[in-house]
Amino acid sequence: WATWCAPSKAEMPHMQELPHEYVEKDSAVLAISSTNIELKGGDDVKRAKGGVSKFIERQKYTFPVLLDEDSHIAQRYNQIYPLSGIPTTFIIDKEGTIRYVRVGPFIDKKQMEAFIKLAQE
């Protein structure tokens, strides 16, 4: 996701609603923003971190939001499953295996919950 991406910003409120429900079910919901994606090709970690932090604080989101500072995570996942757009959602099991990938925003909490339930089957 990125602070400049309208679809990413539209689905963030749905993510805010989920953690309280899914942490109890041994799941975690978190967002990861890549410096390279946040800066549209840039590598200024301080600038990317500042932009992401301000956005999260302004919106009062409380779920974990991480910054892939060196864009290593984005590059690694791109080798496994090419990132063709943002936001991209991954469901990763306890062993670290990617079970499901979805490109594009969720339109509501219900759609996001249905996707998460796939991992619980």
Side-chain angles (χ1 to χ4, degrees):
W1 76 279
T3 60
W4 51 263
C5 174
S8 293
K9 293 191 293 187
E11 80 172 5
M12 298 291 268
H14 309 308
M15 291 180 71
Q16 178 66 30
E17 297 174 24
L18 291 176
H20 306 293
E21 298 169 29
Y22 288 95
V23 167
E24 296 170 6
K25 296 178 183 174
D26 204 23
S27 299
V29 175
L30 56 96
I32 301 175
S33 183
S34 162
T35 294
N36 185 270
I37 293 171
E38 177 63 25
L39 300 179
K40 298 180 182 179
D43 62 0
D44 184 341
V45 174
K46 186 175 180 180
R47 190 169 137 232
K49 189 180 284 188
V52 169
S53 294
K54 285 179 188 173
F55 175 81
I56 296 303
E57 288 172 19
R58 192 170 42 246
Q59 300 302 320
K60 296 181 174 45
Y61 292 133
T62 58
F63 58 89
V65 178
L66 309 174
L67 180 65
D68 178 13
E69 293 183 3
D70 60 5
S71 300
H72 177 73
I73 294 168
Q75 291 168 2
R76 184 170 178 196
Y77 279 100
N78 194 48
Q79 292 172 348
I80 298 167
Y81 186 91
L83 298 173
S84 60
I86 61 170
T88 299
T89 303
F90 294 88
I91 293 199
I92 303 168
D93 69 18
K94 292 177 183 180
E95 288 77 40
T97 302
I98 298 171
R99 294 292 177 193
Y100 302 97
V101 179
R102 183 179 189 284
V103 178
F106 291 95
I107 59 169
D108 58 24
K109 180 182 170 189
K110 192 173 191 174
Q111 188 183 45
M112 192 175 278
E113 286 176 320
F115 186 73
I116 292 170
K117 287 178 184 175
L118 290 173
Q120 297 171 337
E121 293 177 354

PDB file of all heavy atoms in Angstrom, residues 15-38:
ATOM      1  N   MET A  15      -9.389  -2.447   7.530  1.00  0.00           N
ATOM      2  CA  MET A  15      -8.312  -3.109   8.275  1.00  0.00           C
ATOM      3  C   MET A  15      -8.351  -2.704   9.746  1.00  0.00           C
ATOM      4  O   MET A  15      -8.087  -3.512  10.629  1.00  0.00           O
ATOM      5  CB  MET A  15      -6.948  -2.768   7.667  1.00  0.00           C
ATOM      6  CG  MET A  15      -6.732  -3.391   6.315  1.00  0.00           C
ATOM      7  SD  MET A  15      -5.134  -2.976   5.609  1.00  0.00           S
ATOM      8  CE  MET A  15      -4.053  -3.928   6.669  1.00  0.00           C
ATOM      9  N   GLN A  16      -8.689  -1.453  10.002  1.00  0.00           N
ATOM     10  CA  GLN A  16      -8.777  -0.965  11.381  1.00  0.00           C
ATOM     11  C   GLN A  16      -9.821  -1.748  12.170  1.00  0.00           C
ATOM     12  O   GLN A  16      -9.650  -1.997  13.354  1.00  0.00           O
ATOM     13  CB  GLN A  16      -9.112   0.529  11.395  1.00  0.00           C
ATOM     14  CG  GLN A  16      -9.281   1.131  12.768  1.00  0.00           C
ATOM     15  CD  GLN A  16      -8.003   1.142  13.590  1.00  0.00           C
ATOM     16  OE1 GLN A  16      -6.911   1.223  13.056  1.00  0.00           O
ATOM     17  NE2 GLN A  16      -8.144   1.055  14.893  1.00  0.00           N
ATOM     18  N   GLU A  17     -10.879  -2.157  11.521  1.00  0.00           N
ATOM     19  CA  GLU A  17     -11.959  -2.888  12.188  1.00  0.00           C
ATOM     20  C   GLU A  17     -11.607  -4.345  12.474  1.00  0.00           C
ATOM     21  O   GLU A  17     -12.216  -4.966  13.336  1.00  0.00           O
ATOM     22  CB  GLU A  17     -13.217  -2.854  11.320  1.00  0.00           C
ATOM     23  CG  GLU A  17     -13.778  -1.473  11.109  1.00  0.00           C
ATOM     24  CD  GLU A  17     -14.938  -1.486  10.127  1.00  0.00           C
ATOM     25  OE1 GLU A  17     -15.576  -2.536   9.968  1.00  0.00           O
ATOM     26  OE2 GLU A  17     -15.203  -0.433   9.520  1.00  0.00           O
ATOM     27  N   LEU A  18     -10.652  -4.919  11.765  1.00  0.00           N
ATOM     28  CA  LEU A  18     -10.382  -6.349  11.849  1.00  0.00           C
ATOM     29  C   LEU A  18      -9.515  -6.842  13.012  1.00  0.00           C
ATOM     30  O   LEU A  18      -9.826  -7.866  13.588  1.00  0.00           O
ATOM     31  CB  LEU A  18      -9.748  -6.845  10.549  1.00  0.00           C
ATOM     32  CG  LEU A  18     -10.657  -6.846   9.343  1.00  0.00           C
ATOM     33  CD1 LEU A  18      -9.866  -7.255   8.116  1.00  0.00           C
ATOM     34  CD2 LEU A  18     -11.830  -7.793   9.538  1.00  0.00           C
ATOM     35  N   PRO A  19      -8.440  -6.184  13.364  1.00  0.00           N
ATOM     36  CA  PRO A  19      -7.505  -6.800  14.309  1.00  0.00           C
ATOM     37  C   PRO A  19      -8.116  -7.312  15.598  1.00  0.00           C
ATOM     38  O   PRO A  19      -7.786  -8.401  16.040  1.00  0.00           O
ATOM     39  CB  PRO A  19      -6.491  -5.689  14.595  1.00  0.00           C
ATOM     40  CG  PRO A  19      -6.532  -4.853  13.385  1.00  0.00           C
ATOM     41  CD  PRO A  19      -7.960  -4.905  12.908  1.00  0.00           C
ATOM     42  N   HIS A  20      -9.016  -6.567  16.185  1.00  0.00           N
ATOM     43  CA  HIS A  20      -9.602  -6.991  17.453  1.00  0.00           C
ATOM     44  C   HIS A  20     -10.320  -8.325  17.324  1.00  0.00           C
ATOM     45  O   HIS A  20     -10.310  -9.134  18.238  1.00  0.00           O
ATOM     46  CB  HIS A  20     -10.554  -5.914  17.973  1.00  0.00           C
ATOM     47  CG  HIS A  20      -9.907  -4.576  18.058  1.00  0.00           C
ATOM     48  ND1 HIS A  20      -8.897  -4.299  18.949  1.00  0.00           N
ATOM     49  CD2 HIS A  20     -10.086  -3.450  17.335  1.00  0.00           C
ATOM     50  CE1 HIS A  20      -8.492  -3.053  18.779  1.00  0.00           C
ATOM     51  NE2 HIS A  20      -9.193  -2.519  17.807  1.00  0.00           N
ATOM     52  N   GLU A  21     -10.900  -8.577  16.188  1.00  0.00           N
ATOM     53  CA  GLU A  21     -11.629  -9.818  15.968  1.00  0.00           C
ATOM     54  C   GLU A  21     -10.704 -10.981  15.633  1.00  0.00           C
ATOM     55  O   GLU A  21     -10.949 -12.105  16.036  1.00  0.00           O
ATOM     56  CB  GLU A  21     -12.632  -9.636  14.832  1.00  0.00           C
ATOM     57  CG  GLU A  21     -13.684  -8.603  15.127  1.00  0.00           C
ATOM     58  CD  GLU A  21     -14.487  -8.253  13.894  1.00  0.00           C
ATOM     59  OE1 GLU A  21     -14.629  -9.115  13.021  1.00  0.00           O
ATOM     60  OE2 GLU A  21     -14.965  -7.114  13.819  1.00  0.00           O
ATOM     61  N   TYR A  22      -9.644 -10.725  14.901  1.00  0.00           N
ATOM     62  CA  TYR A  22      -8.820 -11.808  14.381  1.00  0.00           C
ATOM     63  C   TYR A  22      -7.610 -12.142  15.241  1.00  0.00           C
ATOM     64  O   TYR A  22      -7.086 -13.236  15.155  1.00  0.00           O
ATOM     65  CB  TYR A  22      -8.416 -11.529  12.938  1.00  0.00           C
ATOM     66  CG  TYR A  22      -9.622 -11.699  12.049  1.00  0.00           C
ATOM     67  CD1 TYR A  22     -10.406 -10.624  11.693  1.00  0.00           C
ATOM     68  CD2 TYR A  22     -10.018 -12.964  11.642  1.00  0.00           C
ATOM     69  CE1 TYR A  22     -11.545 -10.798  10.926  1.00  0.00           C
ATOM     70  CE2 TYR A  22     -11.154 -13.155  10.877  1.00  0.00           C
ATOM     71  CZ  TYR A  22     -11.910 -12.062  10.524  1.00  0.00           C
ATOM     72  OH  TYR A  22     -13.041 -12.250   9.785  1.00  0.00           O
ATOM     73  N   VAL A  23      -7.169 -11.236  16.082  1.00  0.00           N
ATOM     74  CA  VAL A  23      -6.060 -11.543  16.984  1.00  0.00           C
ATOM     75  C   VAL A  23      -6.466 -12.685  17.904  1.00  0.00           C
ATOM     76  O   VAL A  23      -5.686 -13.578  18.199  1.00  0.00           O
ATOM     77  CB  VAL A  23      -5.635 -10.293  17.787  1.00  0.00           C
ATOM     78  CG1 VAL A  23      -4.711 -10.658  18.926  1.00  0.00           C
ATOM     79  CG2 VAL A  23      -4.969  -9.290  16.861  1.00  0.00           C
ATOM     80  N   GLU A  24      -7.727 -12.676  18.324  1.00  0.00           N
ATOM     81  CA  GLU A  24      -8.236 -13.742  19.190  1.00  0.00           C
ATOM     82  C   GLU A  24      -8.257 -15.085  18.474  1.00  0.00           C
ATOM     83  O   GLU A  24      -8.240 -16.131  19.096  1.00  0.00           O
ATOM     84  CB  GLU A  24      -9.654 -13.389  19.656  1.00  0.00           C
ATOM     85  CG  GLU A  24      -9.703 -12.148  20.525  1.00  0.00           C
ATOM     86  CD  GLU A  24     -11.123 -11.689  20.780  1.00  0.00           C
ATOM     87  OE1 GLU A  24     -12.065 -12.388  20.381  1.00  0.00           O
ATOM     88  OE2 GLU A  24     -11.285 -10.624  21.390  1.00  0.00           O
ATOM     89  N   LYS A  25      -8.286 -15.084  17.156  1.00  0.00           N
ATOM     90  CA  LYS A  25      -8.336 -16.320  16.373  1.00  0.00           C
ATOM     91  C   LYS A  25      -6.947 -16.718  15.892  1.00  0.00           C
ATOM     92  O   LYS A  25      -6.805 -17.405  14.897  1.00  0.00           O
ATOM     93  CB  LYS A  25      -9.284 -16.135  15.183  1.00  0.00           C
ATOM     94  CG  LYS A  25     -10.711 -15.903  15.612  1.00  0.00           C
ATOM     95  CD  LYS A  25     -11.602 -15.684  14.415  1.00  0.00           C
ATOM     96  CE  LYS A  25     -13.022 -15.388  14.875  1.00  0.00           C
ATOM     97  NZ  LYS A  25     -13.899 -15.035  13.782  1.00  0.00           N
ATOM     98  N   ASP A  26      -5.911 -16.238  16.585  1.00  0.00           N
ATOM     99  CA  ASP A  26      -4.534 -16.599  16.265  1.00  0.00           C
ATOM    100  C   ASP A  26      -4.119 -16.104  14.886  1.00  0.00           C
ATOM    101  O   ASP A  26      -3.400 -16.784  14.161  1.00  0.00           O
ATOM    102  CB  ASP A  26      -4.349 -18.118  16.378  1.00  0.00           C
ATOM    103  CG  ASP A  26      -2.905 -18.498  16.643  1.00  0.00           C
ATOM    104  OD1 ASP A  26      -2.160 -17.650  17.156  1.00  0.00           O
ATOM    105  OD2 ASP A  26      -2.536 -19.634  16.332  1.00  0.00           O
ATOM    106  N   SER A  27      -4.592 -14.940  14.515  1.00  0.00           N
ATOM    107  CA  SER A  27      -4.247 -14.315  13.244  1.00  0.00           C
ATOM    108  C   SER A  27      -3.703 -12.924  13.518  1.00  0.00           C
ATOM    109  O   SER A  27      -3.878 -12.378  14.597  1.00  0.00           O
ATOM    110  CB  SER A  27      -5.477 -14.195  12.342  1.00  0.00           C
ATOM    111  OG  SER A  27      -6.004 -15.461  12.049  1.00  0.00           O
ATOM    112  N   ALA A  28      -3.071 -12.341  12.523  1.00  0.00           N
ATOM    113  CA  ALA A  28      -2.579 -10.969  12.637  1.00  0.00           C
ATOM    114  C   ALA A  28      -2.901 -10.225  11.358  1.00  0.00           C
ATOM    115  O   ALA A  28      -2.838 -10.784  10.266  1.00  0.00           O
ATOM    116  CB  ALA A  28      -1.077 -10.964  12.874  1.00  0.00           C
ATOM    117  N   VAL A  29      -3.260  -8.986  11.500  1.00  0.00           N
ATOM    118  CA  VAL A  29      -3.514  -8.120  10.367  1.00  0.00           C
ATOM    119  C   VAL A  29      -2.519  -6.972  10.482  1.00  0.00           C
ATOM    120  O   VAL A  29      -2.441  -6.308  11.507  1.00  0.00           O
ATOM    121  CB  VAL A  29      -4.957  -7.566  10.386  1.00  0.00           C
ATOM    122  CG1 VAL A  29      -5.168  -6.567   9.267  1.00  0.00           C
ATOM    123  CG2 VAL A  29      -5.965  -8.699  10.295  1.00  0.00           C
ATOM    124  N   LEU A  30      -1.732  -6.778   9.428  1.00  0.00           N
ATOM    125  CA  LEU A  30      -0.789  -5.673   9.433  1.00  0.00           C
ATOM    126  C   LEU A  30      -0.603  -5.148   8.031  1.00  0.00           C
ATOM    127  O   LEU A  30      -0.914  -5.822   7.054  1.00  0.00           O
ATOM    128  CB  LEU A  30       0.548  -6.083  10.041  1.00  0.00           C
ATOM    129  CG  LEU A  30       1.280  -7.272   9.429  1.00  0.00           C
ATOM    130  CD1 LEU A  30       2.319  -6.799   8.438  1.00  0.00           C
ATOM    131  CD2 LEU A  30       1.952  -8.058  10.531  1.00  0.00           C
ATOM    132  N   ALA A  31      -0.112  -3.934   7.946  1.00  0.00           N
ATOM    133  CA  ALA A  31       0.144  -3.303   6.651  1.00  0.00           C
ATOM    134  C   ALA A  31       1.647  -3.068   6.528  1.00  0.00           C
ATOM    135  O   ALA A  31       2.296  -2.698   7.495  1.00  0.00           O
ATOM    136  CB  ALA A  31      -0.609  -1.985   6.550  1.00  0.00           C
ATOM    137  N   ILE A  32       2.161  -3.294   5.342  1.00  0.00           N
ATOM    138  CA  ILE A  32       3.574  -3.041   5.076  1.00  0.00           C
ATOM    139  C   ILE A  32       3.663  -2.127   3.862  1.00  0.00           C
ATOM    140  O   ILE A  32       3.101  -2.424   2.808  1.00  0.00           O
ATOM    141  CB  ILE A  32       4.347  -4.344   4.793  1.00  0.00           C
ATOM    142  CG1 ILE A  32       4.238  -5.294   5.980  1.00  0.00           C
ATOM    143  CG2 ILE A  32       5.810  -4.024   4.478  1.00  0.00           C
ATOM    144  CD1 ILE A  32       4.861  -6.657   5.739  1.00  0.00           C
ATOM    145  N   SER A  33       4.358  -1.024   4.047  1.00  0.00           N
ATOM    146  CA  SER A  33       4.599  -0.097   2.946  1.00  0.00           C
ATOM    147  C   SER A  33       6.082  -0.148   2.611  1.00  0.00           C
ATOM    148  O   SER A  33       6.929  -0.166   3.496  1.00  0.00           O
ATOM    149  CB  SER A  33       4.200   1.326   3.350  1.00  0.00           C
ATOM    150  OG  SER A  33       4.367   2.206   2.260  1.00  0.00           O
ATOM    151  N   SER A  34       6.398  -0.194   1.353  1.00  0.00           N
ATOM    152  CA  SER A  34       7.774  -0.245   0.879  1.00  0.00           C
ATOM    153  C   SER A  34       8.268   1.171   0.577  1.00  0.00           C
ATOM    154  O   SER A  34       7.543   1.964  -0.021  1.00  0.00           O
ATOM    155  CB  SER A  34       7.831  -1.100  -0.388  1.00  0.00           C
ATOM    156  OG  SER A  34       8.996  -0.862  -1.115  1.00  0.00           O
ATOM    157  N   THR A  35       9.491   1.480   0.991  1.00  0.00           N
ATOM    158  CA  THR A  35      10.063   2.795   0.691  1.00  0.00           C
ATOM    159  C   THR A  35       9.997   3.077  -0.799  1.00  0.00           C
ATOM    160  O   THR A  35       9.569   4.148  -1.231  1.00  0.00           O
ATOM    161  CB  THR A  35      11.523   2.876   1.183  1.00  0.00           C
ATOM    162  OG1 THR A  35      11.537   2.800   2.607  1.00  0.00           O
ATOM    163  CG2 THR A  35      12.192   4.167   0.751  1.00  0.00           C
ATOM    164  N   ASN A  36      10.392   2.110  -1.597  1.00  0.00           N
ATOM    165  CA  ASN A  36      10.415   2.277  -3.049  1.00  0.00           C
ATOM    166  C   ASN A  36       9.031   2.564  -3.615  1.00  0.00           C
ATOM    167  O   ASN A  36       8.862   3.425  -4.473  1.00  0.00           O
ATOM    168  CB  ASN A  36      11.027   1.031  -3.702  1.00  0.00           C
ATOM    169  CG  ASN A  36      11.193   1.180  -5.180  1.00  0.00           C
ATOM    170  OD1 ASN A  36      10.281   0.835  -5.933  1.00  0.00           O
ATOM    171  ND2 ASN A  36      12.334   1.691  -5.602  1.00  0.00           N
ATOM    172  N   ILE A  37       8.024   1.857  -3.114  1.00  0.00           N
ATOM    173  CA  ILE A  37       6.650   2.068  -3.597  1.00  0.00           C
ATOM    174  C   ILE A  37       6.104   3.389  -3.059  1.00  0.00           C
ATOM    175  O   ILE A  37       5.499   4.167  -3.800  1.00  0.00           O
ATOM    176  CB  ILE A  37       5.745   0.881  -3.222  1.00  0.00           C
ATOM    177  CG1 ILE A  37       6.190  -0.361  -4.003  1.00  0.00           C
ATOM    178  CG2 ILE A  37       4.278   1.211  -3.495  1.00  0.00           C
ATOM    179  CD1 ILE A  37       5.519  -1.647  -3.572  1.00  0.00           C
ATOM    180  N   GLU A  38       6.326   3.661  -1.789  1.00  0.00           N
ATOM    181  CA  GLU A  38       5.841   4.900  -1.181  1.00  0.00           C
ATOM    182  C   GLU A  38       6.383   6.128  -1.911  1.00  0.00           C
ATOM    183  O   GLU A  38       5.676   7.105  -2.124  1.00  0.00           O
ATOM    184  CB  GLU A  38       6.222   4.950   0.307  1.00  0.00           C
ATOM    185  CG  GLU A  38       5.824   6.227   1.015  1.00  0.00           C
ATOM    186  CD  GLU A  38       4.327   6.481   1.063  1.00  0.00           C
ATOM    187  OE1 GLU A  38       3.527   5.538   0.999  1.00  0.00           O
ATOM    188  OE2 GLU A  38       3.951   7.667   1.152  1.00  0.00           O
TER     189      GLU A  38
END
